Amino acid sequence: MKSKKIQNLDNFTGTILIPVFETTAKSIVPIEYHGVSVYSQVFYGKKDTHYLVQKYDCTHVFIGLGKELDYKSMKTIFRRISAKQKELFSKTVALVIPDEFNTNQVEAAVSGLLLGTYNLGHYKKSDVHPLLKTDFELNYIAKSDLEGTINKAAKIARAQLEIYALVDLPPNRITPKYLANWAVETGKKHGFEVDVFGKEKSEHTGLHAFLSVGKGSAQEPQFIIMEYRPENAKKHIGLVGKGITFDTGGLNIKTAGMVQMKCDMAGGAAVLGAMQLIADLKLPVQVTAIVPACENSVDAHSFLPSDVIQSYAGHSIEIIDTDAEGRLILVDGLSYLIKNYKPDTVVDLATLTGSVVGTLGYECAGLFTNNEDLSKKLQQAGDAIGERLWQLPLWDAYIPDIESEIADVKNYSGKPVAGAISAAKFLEFFTDKHTSWAHLDIAGVAFGDDEFAKTKHATAYGVHLITNFIENL
């Protein structure tokens, strides 16, 4: 998508998008733009409404914003127009930028328009959305030049669209090898280095916990390491994302909800998308990211409940439940990252527990850290763009939940309570007491229901959150 600033609508024909803040249903003053008057009896800018008027060879789309709106609401409003009024974009399009809009609101609106092009029907025949055509040009009317803001919005949306697809596509396509290849190709395109450890190199490296999870699958595990190293880097951030491309539960096989377990790599996908976006925006921060990718399946080679396995950190782990596998691959990722790259701050993302969904529902992710400054910065980054976080405790009172009599630690407490917390304590055990580490449990927000599809689908949660956090360090 290209963009061009235009001074006015003289001789313009096509679709005009006109955002309108709410007035009142009883207003006697009509909303007016481009010679078109709209009276409050039919439209007054109420949030989540729009009104079409055909005049002067133009389709005027008045878009209701409500009285106040946040970044996420703005993005959703414009995504709705793009997704559900696709035919409006088959013509020349002009977006009117109100004087009241700040750059964040412009960014959210343009990003929303592009996100509205997403089609969940990957294996259905359908026409390409007009916004995605190479010759599409978005005209905009504004007092100032917003080219930089619009370009940034497009980069954010493109990264999120990539992650929508990675999470929504089926597991017979999105295998560990597919994720590794995606990382390599994206690194070449956007400017970060990628190294991938297959099974043999992972064994040689000592990634025993990671390899144990993938033992029951025909898909070869892939330990993906990405490095973005700008010359002017001011800090070094480490990321780790859970990349379970499908989770049967292993021998503790899932008895419900398995059809949605293609989304169990959403944390890894968020890290992949964040790497694309960080490099695309050329942020002045060094980032090293690891996505341990494998499939938790079932066969004669699967690891067993009551097995004791080793880890990269050298700690032994008693396996209580093979469905608590995400934390096993994460700890090897965390240990390897911290030991070999020594980042200033480490953040991991994972669809880790159903417990966090029971606690927080589908509104926000669980945040675990003992670093209050890091907690504050992550929450601020999330609040600013509508990817919210809520901090839960990491008190040492929960350590007994992961203590084992036969090994250094066990992977599951066996209790029906505090599951998200005990999982976070398990991860913390392998961070070598890193003073700036945070764990984000995104199980309730990475894959869900909304108006844009009939079934659960990807949200790309974490891509923009992590990027915004790094951008504002």
Side-chain angles (χ1 to χ4, degrees):
M1 183 189 77
K2 302 172 185 175
S3 62
K4 182 178 72 174
K5 182 182 177 184
I6 59 175
Q7 298 301 320
N8 52 57
L9 293 170
D10 294 348
N11 301 316
F12 180 88
T13 59
T15 297
I16 308 169
L17 305 177
I18 310 160
V20 178
F21 285 101
E22 184 176 341
T23 55
T24 172
K26 297 180 180 180
S27 175
I28 61 173
V29 180
I31 294 166
E32 293 186 322
Y33 193 83
H34 192 226
V36 177
S37 297
V38 181
Y39 289 87
S40 61
Q41 291 91 332
V42 293
F43 176 82
Y44 58 95
K46 185 178 179 181
K47 185 181 176 183
D48 299 331
T49 65
H50 67 276
Y51 188 72
L52 275 63
V53 179
Q54 191 73 31
K55 192 173 183 179
Y56 308 130
D57 293 325
C58 293
T59 302
H60 301 75
V61 187
F62 292 87
I63 303 170
L65 303 178
K67 293 180 179 179
E68 295 180 6
L69 77 171
D70 55 27
Y71 188 102
K72 184 178 181 180
S73 297
M74 177 76 84
K75 187 167 67 172
T76 301
I77 286 168
F78 280 85
R79 182 180 178 185
R80 183 183 300 120
I81 293 294
S82 178
K84 300 184 179 182
Q85 304 284 340
K86 180 179 175 180
E87 67 282 358
L88 296 175
F89 296 85
S90 59
K91 312 169 186 178
T92 306
V93 177
L95 172 62
V96 179
I97 308 292
D99 293 345
E100 303 96 314
F101 270 24
N102 58 37
T103 55
N104 281 339
Q105 290 171 317
V106 176
E107 179 184 287
V110 174
S111 179
L113 287 176
L114 280 168
L115 291 179
T117 66
Y118 183 68
N119 183 357
L120 192 58
H122 291 283
Y123 292 91
K124 292 184 176 183
K125 292 182 179 179
S126 60
D127 296 330
V128 175
H129 195 291
L131 267 169
L132 295 180
K133 293 181 178 178
T134 55
D135 61 347
F136 182 88
E137 186 170 67
L138 178 68
N139 299 284
Y140 69 93
I141 299 173
K143 282 188 174 181
S144 56
D145 185 356
L146 295 169
E147 200 73 20
T149 300
I150 291 172
N151 286 338
K152 181 182 178 183
K155 290 177 179 181
I156 293 168
R158 281 196 291 266
Q160 291 177 316
L161 286 168
E162 287 283 337
I163 303 318
Y164 284 171
L166 284 183
V167 177
D168 284 334
L169 281 164
N172 59 331
R173 181 170 175 185
I174 305 299
T175 62
K177 188 65 175 176
Y178 186 103
L179 291 183
N181 290 340
W182 187 95
V184 170
E185 293 304 313
T186 304
K188 289 177 181 176
K189 181 178 179 181
H190 292 285
F192 57 88
E193 297 177 8
V194 180
D195 193 11
V196 180
F197 297 175
K199 182 180 178 181
E200 185 176 341
K201 190 166 184 180
S202 294
E203 288 175 340
H204 178 74
T205 305
L207 302 170
H208 304 296
F210 166 61
L211 289 170
S212 292
V213 175
K215 283 169 63 178
S217 173
Q219 303 292 342
E220 182 182 5
Q222 305 283 294
F223 195 80
I224 305 164
I225 305 169
M226 297 164 282
E227 294 183 75
Y228 168 67
R229 294 180 292 192
E231 291 182 1
N232 55 340
K234 56 184 180 180
K235 287 190 178 181
H236 184 192
I237 304 299
L239 304 174
V240 181
K242 174 185 172 184
I244 298 291
T245 56
F246 193 80
D247 180 23
T248 66
L251 290 176
N252 291 106
I253 197 161
K254 292 181 183 294
T255 56
M258 199 192 300
V259 71
Q260 297 170 357
M261 285 300 103
K262 64 180 182 180
C263 78
D264 215 17
M265 40 67 76
V271 169
L272 292 169
M275 286 300 289
Q276 172 180 319
L277 185 52
I278 290 162
D280 203 8
L281 294 175
K282 296 180 171 54
L283 299 186
V285 177
Q286 181 181 350
V287 183
T288 305
I290 293 178
V291 175
C294 62
E295 185 180 83
N296 187 24
S297 193
V298 181
D299 81 349
H301 301 288
S302 298
F303 69 135
L304 309 174
S306 78
D307 273 356
V308 173
I309 65 173
Q310 296 301 314
S311 64
Y312 178 79
H315 303 306
S316 57
I317 305 168
E318 180 185 9
I319 304 302
I320 303 298
D321 192 327
T322 62
D323 197 19
E325 86 299 330
R327 64 200 71 181
L328 298 176
I329 70 171
L330 283 174
V331 297
D332 272 1
L334 286 166
S335 299
Y336 189 88
L337 174 71
I338 292 167
K339 179 178 179 180
N340 296 287
Y341 294 95
K342 298 177 174 56
D344 302 316
T345 293
V346 179
V347 181
D348 74 74
L349 297 90
T351 50
L352 206 62
T353 67
S355 173
V356 81
V357 183
T359 303
L360 299 173
Y362 304 101
E363 295 301 321
C364 64
L367 165 63
F368 299 86
T369 182
N370 284 321
N371 185 310
E372 288 307 310
D373 182 58
L374 177 58
S375 174
K376 183 178 179 181
K377 287 178 179 177
L378 282 166
Q379 288 185 79
Q380 287 174 340
D383 287 344
I385 57 155
E387 295 186 8
R388 302 173 74 181
L389 293 162
W390 189 259
Q391 189 171 1
L392 294 170
L394 264 180
W395 301 326
D396 285 347
Y398 293 99
I399 288 178
D401 286 348
I402 61 169
E403 289 179 337
S404 167
E405 288 191 304
I406 194 171
D408 293 324
V409 69
K410 62 185 179 183
N411 78 324
Y412 177 57
S413 69
K415 300 176 182 178
V417 296
I421 298 172
S422 60
K425 292 301 289 184
F426 181 83
L427 298 179
E428 183 188 41
F429 186 82
F430 291 84
T431 60
D432 197 26
K433 298 182 180 179
H434 198 290
T435 57
S436 184
W437 161 74
H439 160 57
L440 311 185
D441 192 335
I442 65 172
V445 290
F447 197 73
D449 296 299
D450 63 28
E451 64 187 274
F452 298 107
K454 296 177 182 178
T455 56
K456 287 184 180 292
H457 54 281
T459 66
Y461 182 101
V463 174
H464 196 184
L465 165 62
I466 292 300
T467 307
N468 194 39
F469 162 69
I470 290 174
E471 187 176 17
N472 288 287
L473 285 174

